[in-house]
Amino acid sequence: MRRSDFWYGKRTPLWLVPVLIVGVLLLGLWLTGENESGYERPAAAEEKVSIEFWTPFSGGDSSFMNALVAKYNEENQDGVAVRMNNNKLDDYYAKLSTAIVTGEAPDIAIVHVSKYAQYVPAEFVSVVGEKEAEEAGVDWDGYNPNILRKTVVDGKHYGVPLDAHFGVLYYNKKWLEQAGLYEDGIVKMGPGEEGFTDFLKKLRDEVPEDVAPLAVPNIRIDSLWLWWSLYSQIDGGGKLYDETGTRAQLNEQAAKRSLDYVDSLYRQGLIPPDINDATSQFARGRAATLFLGVWSIGLFEQADDLDFGVMPLPQIYDHPASWGDAHTLALPARADADPAKRQAALKFADWLTQHGDVWAQAGHIPAYEAAANSPEFLALPRREDYVNAADDVAYFPDHPKQGRINDELVAELERLWSGSLTVDGLLKRIGPKIDRILEE
């Protein structure tokens, strides 16, 4: 006899079905009632707290953060479930800002320190109070002070530092060896502009024509990072505004010197034109060197047949410097902020930073100093080759309109690298363009 025949066939009257349903419901209520023979609802289910976590890690580092979130969800004893939402960096802050304004912000989000100058005055991120930080176990003294200070405004903490990341020089050992520029684990490169140019020319002369001596896109923000790094290496450089932050003020001599030099690399073909995906190009062995952030190391380590090394951006001018930024964990402003969720988010942030050695597998330098000095981090290959460069990070200025000004700088640099604008022409144009944005 089929099961359907038993319940709905001729052998069972249809009037009996609702009676059986009511009976089952009553039995369930009795079993879950508060009596000794019933089943109690697990406390964890009642206390479960779910928090939403937004990140811009849609590239090679997303897998490492996914693994960390999964580990936290599995191991934490607080009944907390973290739901992670990965976004593309290109539109991440537009989405995050909109979510904050419309009251749909996540409970915790990655916010670059370069965004604090905009987000703090706009009250897009909330202050982390002393008491709630203490209750969550956050120890401010445990973080790299150079990164921590970027998250403190008027003596108040607005985020928990996660890492530092900055531009480095990746190199393909095969191509450097072929050009006689790598021997016994040492890269052979002379000092200054001449030394770096000669290094790239030897690569151009000795590697196949379809291999870039240095890969940097002539569009997108990568070339701005390169110019800003060299501009910041010159004494008095790394400056865009006057002391009031209301008028453009570059160090004209330093800006021209560094722009002339980077422009010469494009003009001589040492940075080939029309590079779109420099990361993929290097991973496929079609670039001898690459200037890019440390976040791609984990990706390159998974690439087949890629024997590569990493070094800080060479010091070409007066002192070492390379563009950089830092990821922090901030609590977006919410009118309906739930204290329990804030506490859960801070505990998660504290746990995440203390597991910086795992996050460092993506290439970043942990902001939590115990993680940065841990045997686990130091045992990772290549990290020791650039870890000290975290002390030479050249951040963009803390200005609420820096993002818009970066967009303008990228557009002007694209014209320069393409040959439709000269260095002198750019310098004449950029000041008024910055002023116009500042006046709006």
Side-chain angles (χ1 to χ4, degrees), residues 60-69 298-299 302 358-359 361-362:
D61 45 9
S62 62
S63 60
F64 298 101
M65 185 57 71
N66 280 326
L68 277 167
V69 170
L299 176 67
Q302 299 171 27
V358 179
W359 177 234
Q361 293 178 39

Side-chain angles (χ1 to χ4, degrees), residues 88-103:
K88 289 184 178 181
L89 180 58
D90 293 348
D91 58 1
Y92 174 66
Y93 285 106
K95 288 183 177 180
L96 181 58
S97 299
T98 301
I100 293 169
V101 170
T102 57

Side-chain angles (χ1 to χ4, degrees), residues 55-241:
T55 83
F57 305 132
S58 57
D61 45 9
S62 62
S63 60
F64 298 101
M65 185 57 71
N66 280 326
L68 277 167
V69 170
K71 183 178 177 68
Y72 182 77
N73 284 336
E74 180 182 348
E75 295 182 356
N76 85 83
Q77 300 297 310
D78 300 320
V80 175
V82 179
R83 291 183 291 110
M84 180 173 160
N85 183 351
N86 271 326
N87 300 266
K88 289 184 178 181
L89 180 58
D90 293 348
D91 58 1
Y92 174 66
Y93 285 106
K95 288 183 177 180
L96 181 58
S97 299
T98 301
I100 293 169
V101 170
T102 57
E104 300 177 347
D107 301 292
I108 185 168
I110 291 292
V111 177
H112 288 80
V113 295
S114 57
K115 281 289 179 180
Y116 275 57
Q118 176 185 346
Y119 269 36
V120 171
E123 299 183 348
F124 277 11
V125 290
S126 60
V127 174
V128 179
E130 287 187 26
K131 185 177 180 181
E132 62 179 352
E134 183 179 347
E135 290 177 352
V138 178
D139 175 19
W140 299 118
D141 293 333
Y143 294 92
N144 181 307
N146 291 328
I147 306 173
L148 181 66
R149 66 180 176 82
K150 303 288 287 184
T151 67
V152 178
V153 181
D154 296 330
K156 298 176 181 179
H157 293 277
Y158 283 86
V160 182
L162 177 60
D163 65 45
H165 51 273
F166 44 87
V168 291
L169 190 70
Y170 296 91
Y171 57 90
N172 185 307
K173 294 179 181 179
K174 170 186 173 181
W175 299 129
L176 265 64
E177 286 176 346
Q178 184 167 310
L181 297 170
Y182 186 77
E183 187 176 343
D184 298 328
I186 298 174
V187 176
K188 297 180 178 180
M189 183 188 301
E193 291 181 1
E194 183 178 356
F196 192 56
T197 300
D198 288 345
F199 172 81
L200 294 178
K201 284 182 175 178
K202 287 181 181 177
L203 286 171
R204 182 187 60 189
D205 294 342
E206 298 296 332
V207 303
E209 289 185 5
D210 64 342
V211 174
L214 172 60
V216 183
N218 59 353
I219 57 173
R220 304 177 9 146
I221 199 169
D222 305 57
S223 65
L224 173 58
W225 293 339
L226 177 59
W227 169 67
W228 183 259
S229 300
L230 299 185
Y231 178 40
S232 299
Q233 288 188 1
I234 301 173
D235 290 341
K239 184 178 181 181
L240 289 177
Y241 317 107

Side-chain angles (χ1 to χ4, degrees), residues 350-365:
D350 180 64
W351 181 92
L352 203 58
T353 60
Q354 292 192 39
H355 288 74
D357 57 297
V358 179
W359 177 234
Q361 293 178 39
H364 307 283
I365 303 298

Side-chain angles (χ1 to χ4, degrees), residues 24 27 40 50 63 71 76 79 82 105 120 152 166 256 294 304 310 319 357 395 410-411 425 440:
V24 170
L27 178 63
E40 295 184 2
S50 178
S63 60
K71 183 178 177 68
N76 85 83
V82 179
V120 171
V152 178
F166 44 87
K256 178 174 171 53
V294 296
D304 294 333
V310 188
H319 53 263
D357 57 297
Y395 295 97
V410 169
E440 292 176 358

